[in-house]
Amino acid sequence: MITAEINEYDRNGVHIDYVAYNRVLEEQIRARFEDQGYEIQIIGFAKQIGDIADGASAVLEFCLVALLLTAAAVYWYCHSVRFTVLTLVCSLTSLVWQFGTLRLMHYGLDPLAVLVPFLVFAIGVSHGVQQINFIVRQISHGRSTYDACRDSFSGLLIPGTLALVTAFVSFNTLLLIPIPMVRELAITASLGVAYKIVTNLVMLPLAASYFKFDASYAERAVIKRDQRAHWLRALARVAEPRNALVVLAITAVVFATAVWQSRDRVIGTLQPGAPELRADARFNRDAVSISTHYDTGLDWLTVVFEAPPDSCENVAIGIYQDRFAWAMQPVDGVLSITSFASQLRQYNEGYNEGNPKMAVVPIDPGNYAALATEISRVPGMMRKDCSMTAVHLFLTDHKATTINRVIAAVKEFRFRQPMDGVKIRLAAGNAGVLAATNEEVEHSELPMMLYVYAAIALLVFVVYRDLRAVLACCLPLTIGTFVGYWFMKELEIGLTVATLPVMVLSVGIGVDYAFYIYNRLQLHLAKGQDIVKAFEHSILEVGTATIFTAITLAVGVATWSFSALKFQADMGKLLAFMFMVNMVMAMTVLPAFSVWLERLFPRRRAVRAPGLLQH
């Protein structure tokens, strides 16, 4: 887990912020020694963590900007200070509960999860706008504020709860990834969404019932909504069978292209340097410069040779490891190698007056054991009984392609040239950790997505008891997911511990649009309307609110793309794109697909509209 600060205390109990201390020390070094003739390049864990901490602290500014933009957007939509404040207060209330619960659970917020609270806040705002839209529409129909709020509570309880429970289940699937940082993110997001069920589906209509709005306000609000949504009538024509067929044909082409383009997406990072920082960050520029001009770098992969205890006289192990090092040297991406075998060569040459002929692994067991005793004093090279010896492969970078290539070469050597009694273990070093992380991400992606879609399908079927509803809600999401993978490939965003949760979150949140539209469709079908008219009324009623919430969510998270931390910027761009794509799919593909499902598989029973009032 990456922490924002590294705190210690000196001998007198005085608190020391080592991140700030290292930052000041770096500035002093550069000011004193760096000039036109010299450039100071600094790498290392302390420097990397300091730069990450600086970038993480700035994210609060982006959250504040996003909060102000969201407030302005809600006011523009409803033209009511009371509704705007109420929506924000309800969303912030669940945020306070979320932080309090995390505190009781002794959890914090690392740079990966620090964006989740605002994302949960934005989810609450989107559901709040749906509540406001419903209340205002009911008031314009002559209902009192109290009755309108009751209607809103009853009318949106089913789709709202369905959407939030789906998001809750989606977030919990992240617990399948055995990476502590991702699991904490899952717990943080799940808590926030669970509290949204209370604050946005119960607290908001309950508090709004104490407000007094006259019919003139509601009429003005409805007129403004209709003025903004006059073009929705044209969009609603996608439900006409002929237009729906055209939409489905275009969708099939887009889906096939997205699947084809995303087939070779990369698991892992695609840029050199620290993956948390941008390519133009000073740390990454220094790291790339050092790895380019010297035979060392920021990234290394340690391969462990495991042997029986007391193997310090087994000369064959050293010879076997030396052969392995020679096999790894020409692998593209390997910058240099240091190993127990290379140390044996160096020590043997040194103890023989520097004779280059003696730069070999000694074959005499006594000499071999004596040199092993000397090498055991070097940290990170071996165990004293020679049961573990290491080979450190220094890599040019930690790109997923580089790491995968080296790992594949190690596995091929292990398969083709085994040695009895010796096991080649993968892998330590930061590149080894990244390789293990990438493997977990790759193995977890498909099961997680399947669990999310299975949860959505199950919940939709339980509520509507109709396979049409399952297909209509899941198909747009599936297309949106593959379009998202295509987007990641084009923008060179790898599938990592930062972007995999985004894809899961986008599915859990993106299905909200489908739920609200399909729920209104069920109501109008239950009244006896044909499906074309039912979709037209549904889109006119909730289309503006759906489009507004998608744009608001996208604008809010898009501010993250300006973060100094690359993974936060990638999360912001990807989330904003997925929100918009899922909204477009819900507004076009869902109606078109549903119409043809009705034509191909006519209903035999009356339509059920669970939990909806007939006002």
Side-chain angles (χ1 to χ4, degrees):
M1 173 179 174
I2 299 175
T3 55
E5 292 185 354
I6 304 174
N7 297 322
E8 296 289 347
Y9 294 86
D10 65 9
R11 294 180 180 179
N12 298 320
V14 179
H15 175 270
I16 300 174
D17 183 349
Y18 276 104
V19 172
Y21 174 78
N22 288 330
R23 190 180 304 118
V24 172
L25 183 62
E26 174 193 346
E27 292 173 356
Q28 292 176 348
I29 292 173
R30 293 192 191 278
R32 182 176 179 183
F33 297 105
E34 197 168 41
D35 54 29
Q36 294 182 351
Y38 295 93
E39 179 183 358
I40 305 298
Q41 296 175 340
I42 304 174
I43 60 174
F45 183 75
K47 168 63 174 168
Q48 181 178 347
I49 290 297
D51 288 359
I52 294 173
D54 288 340
S57 62
V59 76
L60 298 178
E61 300 173 7
F62 298 123
C63 289
L64 179 60
V65 171
L67 175 63
L68 295 176
L69 290 174
T70 302
V74 173
Y75 179 78
W76 174 85
Y77 180 81
C78 65
H79 285 277
S80 171
V81 174
R82 285 180 290 177
F83 271 141
T84 301
V85 173
L86 177 61
T87 303
L88 297 179
V89 167
C90 288
S91 293
L92 289 173
T93 298
S94 63
L95 211 60
V96 173
W97 295 353
Q98 180 184 16
F99 285 139
T101 306
L102 290 174
R103 174 71 175 176
L104 292 175
M105 296 173 66
H106 303 289
Y107 282 163
L109 286 178
D110 56 58
L112 179 62
V114 73
L115 303 178
V116 172
F118 172 74
L119 178 61
V120 174
F121 167 80
I123 294 172
V125 171
S126 69
H127 287 279
V129 169
Q130 294 286 354
Q131 293 277 1
I132 293 172
N133 183 63
F134 200 112
I135 292 170
V136 171
R137 186 171 66 247
Q138 293 299 91
I139 294 175
S140 69
H141 291 168
R143 307 283 289 174
S144 66
T145 303
Y146 176 79
D147 290 335
C149 291
R150 288 192 61 177
D151 294 348
S152 177
F153 171 78
S154 302
L156 297 182
L157 183 63
I158 293 294
T161 302
L162 192 60
L164 290 173
V165 169
T166 301
F168 179 82
V169 173
S170 300
F171 297 158
N172 273 284
T173 60
L174 295 174
L175 294 173
L176 296 175
I177 301 181
I179 300 174
M181 188 163 55
V182 176
R183 287 180 170 176
E184 287 191 19
L185 182 149
I187 294 171
T188 301
S190 300
L191 285 173
V193 170
Y195 288 139
K196 290 297 175 193
I197 297 176
V198 178
T199 58
N200 288 89
L201 300 184
V202 179
M203 177 180 171
L204 193 150
L206 181 63
S209 67
Y210 289 93
F211 294 163
K212 299 298 180 183
F213 293 98
D214 53 24
S216 61
Y217 163 76
E219 291 173 0
R220 290 194 304 271
V222 170
I223 290 173
K224 288 183 180 295
R225 185 194 67 192
D226 292 341
Q227 290 174 345
R228 297 168 185 159
H230 67 277
W231 55 272
L232 283 177
R233 294 187 182 276
L235 178 62
R237 295 185 63 186
V238 301
E240 297 176 4
R242 182 177 178 181
N243 296 335
L245 197 60
V246 174
V247 170
L248 291 178
I250 296 173
T251 302
V253 173
V254 172
F255 183 48
T257 304
V259 172
W260 176 259
Q261 291 293 334
S262 62
R263 71 191 187 284
D264 55 352
R265 66 186 184 278
V266 176
I267 309 295
T269 58
L270 294 171
Q271 289 82 24
E276 299 85 0
L277 302 172
R278 292 181 180 270
D280 59 352
R282 180 61 189 266
F283 179 87
N284 280 343
R285 297 203 311 269
D286 289 351
V288 171
S289 176
I290 290 173
S291 63
T292 302
H293 295 93
Y294 300 92
D295 63 348
T296 186
L298 187 68
D299 307 295
W300 77 98
L301 186 143
T302 298
V303 181
V304 175
F305 283 64
E306 185 180 2
D310 301 321
S311 297
C312 286
E313 293 186 355
N314 190 346
V315 176
I317 295 176
I319 297 174
Y320 180 57
Q321 190 179 101
D322 193 47
R323 191 163 66 248
F324 170 81
W326 279 105
M328 293 299 106
Q329 191 66 62
V331 175
D332 188 18
V334 176
L335 192 64
S336 62
I337 300 175
T338 182
S339 63
F340 170 69
S342 67
Q343 293 288 306
L344 286 171
R345 286 171 165 271
Q346 183 177 356
Y347 276 62
N348 196 40
E349 180 183 5
Y351 278 117
N352 287 276
E353 300 177 348
N355 188 340
K357 293 175 59 177
M358 302 305 294
V360 294
V361 176
I363 60 174
D364 176 66
N367 189 20
Y368 181 94
L371 294 181
T373 302
E374 294 289 332
I375 298 171
S376 67
R377 298 189 178 98
V378 179
M381 194 58 67
M382 60 177 292
R383 285 183 185 155
K384 291 186 179 299
D385 64 349
C386 300
S387 60
M388 185 282 291
T389 54
V391 178
H392 302 295
L393 307 176
F394 293 93
L395 310 182
T396 54
D397 53 61
H398 59 245
K399 294 180 182 179
T401 50
T402 302
I403 295 176
N404 293 341
R405 190 185 307 115
V406 176
I407 292 291
V410 174
K411 290 181 177 179
E412 182 179 5
F413 180 90
R414 183 172 61 183
F415 174 76
R416 293 184 178 277
Q417 302 187 47
M419 178 179 176
D420 293 338
V422 177
K423 296 180 180 179
I424 299 178
R425 301 286 192 181
L426 285 168
N430 72 317
V433 173
L434 285 173
T437 302
N438 293 342
E439 285 186 3
E440 290 297 338
V441 169
E442 185 176 10
H443 295 158
S444 302
E445 179 196 11
L446 182 59
M448 286 173 56
M449 285 298 183
L450 292 177
Y451 287 142
V452 170
Y453 278 97
I456 293 173
L458 179 61
L459 290 170
V460 172
F461 184 77
V462 168
V463 172
Y464 297 110
R465 308 291 177 86
D466 189 357
L467 287 176
R468 296 179 187 83
V470 176
L471 295 174
C473 291
C474 290
L475 178 67
L477 282 177
T478 304
I479 299 170
T481 299
F482 280 95
V483 171
Y485 286 141
W486 182 12
F487 176 81
M488 290 174 64
K489 180 184 175 183
E490 293 299 322
L491 267 67
E492 295 187 344
I493 299 174
L495 194 66
T496 64
V497 292
T499 54
L500 177 59
V502 168
M503 297 304 295
V504 176
L505 299 179
S506 64
V507 172
I509 298 171
V511 75
D512 294 3
Y513 314 133
F515 287 158
Y516 280 112
I517 293 174
Y518 199 84
N519 215 58
R520 297 305 301 174
L521 171 68
Q522 292 293 96
L523 168 63
H524 293 296
L525 289 176
K527 289 181 177 181
Q529 295 182 357
D530 66 88
I531 191 166
V532 176
K533 277 294 181 183
F535 258 118
E536 179 181 351
H537 290 153
S538 300
I539 290 178
L540 290 175
E541 289 171 355
V542 300
T544 303
T546 299
I547 295 172
F548 170 81
T549 53
I551 294 175
T552 302
L553 283 169
V555 170
V557 297
T559 59
W560 303 349
S561 61
F562 298 100
S563 173
L565 300 182
K566 185 182 183 303
F567 70 88
Q568 288 182 349
D570 288 345
M571 290 176 72
K573 288 183 286 188
L574 188 56
L575 271 174
F577 180 79
M578 293 304 298
F579 286 151
M580 296 303 296
V581 166
N582 284 328
M583 181 270 292
V584 171
M585 292 296 158
M587 297 290 288
T588 57
V589 177
L590 189 153
F593 189 53
S594 299
V595 165
W596 276 96
L597 282 177
E598 291 287 338
R599 291 175 65 90
L600 296 175
F601 306 100
R603 296 178 185 268
R604 299 180 179 178
R605 294 178 297 179
V607 177
R608 297 178 68 253
L612 293 175
L613 299 178
Q614 306 297 314
H615 295 299

